[in-house]
Amino acid sequence: MIARVLARAAAAAAVVLLAAAPLRAAEEPIEIFDAHLHYNWEPKPFYDVDQVLALFKKHRVTGILATSRPNDGTHALMDATRGGKAAGLWVVPFLRPYRVRPDIQTWFNDPTIFDLIQDEYKRGYYRGLGEFHLSGKAADTEWVKKAVNFAVAHDLYLHAHADDEAVEILMRHNPRARIIWAHTGFGLSSARVAAMLATYPQLWGELSYRSGITANSGQLTPEWRGLFEKYPDRFLLGSDTWISERWASYGAIMAEYRGWLKQLPPDVAKQIAHGNARRLFAEKN
């Protein structure tokens, strides 16, 4: 009799544990690849490397597109990866064509920046060029074209903070260019974004600071839900930690993404959260 009671209790406990396991798995936040991260070094970062790595782990950020101004911050993150301190984190380094903040306004007409690109590339680990800033016809210069052709020749992505006119000029410079479109045009209409994605198959939208995705209630707008479901393989997430305040609110930024990702079909949410980045930046055999 006692044996039967104990057996029933054990069976009941097993049922409870099996029922709880899927619940715990469901509650685990979706992993995120941060495809717009700056670890600026002017003259030192807001957080040291150990603090940054802890922040990524806390918020289940499993990969980053790493850039910095100057490139010292990216070097530090790569050193942490090579030294084994960044276990569980995939660092994808991009070469930023800036030494100091004023370069943002002049790099596209500055031959010394092209020298910087060529010299920095010799480190051997970069996967892209950017983030860089361009507006309209500022993209239509000899030095921008050289940078685009350099990127194509060396199998690098371009990370462009640019309006739609500048993106089109970049594509005209070299139709083989692959562009991560920082902020996906900010407040550009969803119809224009859709047209750009349809016209340029090698264009991906990164969504930091992108307006219109949700309404005031936090619900996805019909326009952006439609875009995500039509182009689930064309969007990436990013924090854009360009100032200290963005680091201080990093957890809130990730929580906001997860808030609307939960409203999408799970397979679409996974692609946008991390799947697209992992596919784009996967090492070639």
Side-chain angles (χ1 to χ4, degrees):
M1 178 69 178
I2 294 174
R4 285 200 297 272
V5 170
L6 290 174
R8 289 194 198 100
V15 169
V16 170
L17 288 172
L18 287 172
L23 180 61
R24 285 196 296 271
E27 290 172 347
E28 186 174 28
I30 190 170
E31 67 173 284
I32 287 178
F33 186 104
D34 185 343
H36 190 150
L37 186 117
H38 301 304
Y39 190 44
N40 290 334
W41 206 272
E42 302 172 309
K44 62 180 182 178
F46 181 68
Y47 289 136
D48 66 28
V49 171
D50 289 341
Q51 289 174 305
V52 165
L53 297 178
L55 193 68
F56 297 145
K57 186 174 183 179
K58 177 180 179 180
H59 297 292
R60 208 179 179 219
V61 171
T62 56
I64 57 172
L65 191 165
T67 74
S68 67
R69 185 183 64 240
N71 289 287
D72 301 52
T74 303
H75 304 163
L77 290 170
M78 289 302 292
D79 289 344
T81 300
R82 291 172 166 178
K85 294 177 67 175
L89 179 72
W90 183 26
V91 179
V92 179
F94 272 37
L95 192 169
R96 204 160 195 211
Y98 301 155
R99 301 153 300 192
V100 293
R101 184 168 177 77
D103 285 339
I104 293 173
Q105 307 298 330
T106 59
W107 78 273
F108 43 85
N109 272 320
D110 186 347
T112 66
I113 293 296
F114 191 63
D115 293 337
L116 166 69
I117 291 170
Q118 294 178 96
D119 290 342
E120 187 67 26
Y121 176 75
K122 294 174 185 175
R123 288 182 176 270
Y125 50 55
Y126 287 110
R127 301 297 308 280
L129 177 61
E131 179 203 18
F132 53 77
H133 297 68
L134 287 170
S135 179
K137 290 183 172 51
D140 197 11
T141 72
E142 173 191 1
W143 296 107
V144 172
K145 186 171 183 177
K146 282 180 178 290
V148 172
N149 287 335
F150 183 90
V152 171
H154 293 88
D155 197 25
L156 302 175
Y157 289 88
L158 297 167
H159 190 193
H161 175 135
D163 57 18
D164 51 337
E165 181 183 11
V167 169
E168 291 184 317
I169 292 170
L170 292 173
M171 290 296 193
R172 287 203 299 271
H173 284 324
N174 193 320
R176 293 167 55 207
R178 296 175 299 167
I179 299 177
I180 309 299
W181 191 8
H183 319 298
T184 318
F186 286 104
L188 199 67
S189 73
S190 58
R192 180 59 175 151
V193 171
M196 292 287 286
L197 294 175
T199 302
Y200 303 109
Q202 297 199 126
L203 177 68
W204 292 267
E206 179 274 310
L207 297 168
S208 61
Y209 282 106
R210 173 62 233 197
S211 65
I213 294 175
T214 60
N216 291 336
S217 62
Q219 294 297 306
L220 276 171
T221 59
E223 296 81 7
W224 278 88
R225 178 185 292 276
L227 269 178
F228 293 146
E229 292 182 348
K230 183 174 182 180
Y231 296 106
D233 58 340
R234 304 288 291 282
F235 291 101
L236 307 163
L237 305 181
S239 61
D240 192 7
T241 48
W242 68 287
I243 52 176
S244 298
E245 288 78 6
R246 297 290 284 183
W247 281 112
S249 59
Y250 195 83
I253 294 168
M254 295 301 121
E256 183 176 350
Y257 280 135
R258 289 187 172 104
W260 59 255
L261 284 168
K262 288 191 295 187
Q263 301 171 44
L264 291 169
D267 58 333
V268 175
K270 288 178 182 177
Q271 282 185 271
I272 295 171
H274 58 85
N276 293 333
R278 292 193 173 276
R279 174 176 52 83
L280 291 179
F281 305 133
E283 296 290 346
K284 291 182 170 60
N285 295 326

